[in-house]
Amino acid sequence: MRAEPGAEHVTGSGSASGAAKSRRFPSITRDTARPEGSGRAVPGAVSTPARQWPMLSVLAATAVGLLATALGQARFGCLVIGVALIAASVLRRVLPSVGMLAVRSRFTDMITYGVLGVAITLLALVMEPRPLLEIPFLESAVRFTVR
């Protein structure tokens, strides 16, 4: 019997075969680990679109925002897109399984979606003409960089 590299065998630990499986990480991996969010948002008996409702809701809101922007309502469209990304961050934090909305680790997804959502929302609020949010140093910073 030949042992795999990185695996240590324990004898006499009460198992039927006399050797217990090592808990140590193997030195050579033969497979990839499933991502954290690879599970389904809803049980398998439900149709595929219903299982992916978190991702589909964020995509639908983003599509509405893009359509509004294309129709000439840039501020409203950008606000919808920003809020959709903030909602994605909240969904990733609150739900245990979000389907394809999970791309990286939970923490990284939350930070990425949240920062992008807040940035897009702030850009929509300071958009000209007649910005809804006045940032005092923004005009002088833009004037200094653009000239």
Side-chain angles (χ1 to χ4, degrees), residues 1 5 14 18-19 22 31 56 62 65-66 68 70 78 80 95 108-109 126 137 146:
M1 183 169 137
S22 172
D31 199 2
L56 291 175
T62 304
L66 289 172
C78 288
V80 170
L95 297 177
T108 305
D109 282 343
V126 299
F137 64 87
V146 174

Side-chain angles (χ1 to χ4, degrees), residues 8-77:
E8 79 182 13
H9 293 282
V10 179
T11 58
S13 62
S15 67
S17 66
K21 189 174 181 180
S22 172
R23 293 181 58 189
R24 203 190 305 179
F25 219 55
S27 61
I28 299 174
T29 57
R30 306 211 189 296
D31 199 2
T32 57
R34 291 179 57 178
E36 180 183 340
S38 64
R40 296 175 173 145
V42 176
V46 181
S47 68
T48 301
R51 289 188 299 225
Q52 297 296 334
W53 72 265
M55 181 66 163
L56 291 175
S57 62
V58 171
L59 284 177
T62 304
V64 168
L66 289 172
L67 182 64
T69 303
L71 294 176
Q73 299 296 323
R75 178 174 288 141
F76 176 73

Side-chain angles (χ1 to χ4, degrees), residues 88-99:
S89 178
V90 170
L91 285 173
R92 186 68 172 108
R93 173 68 178 117
V94 172
L95 297 177
S97 177
V98 290

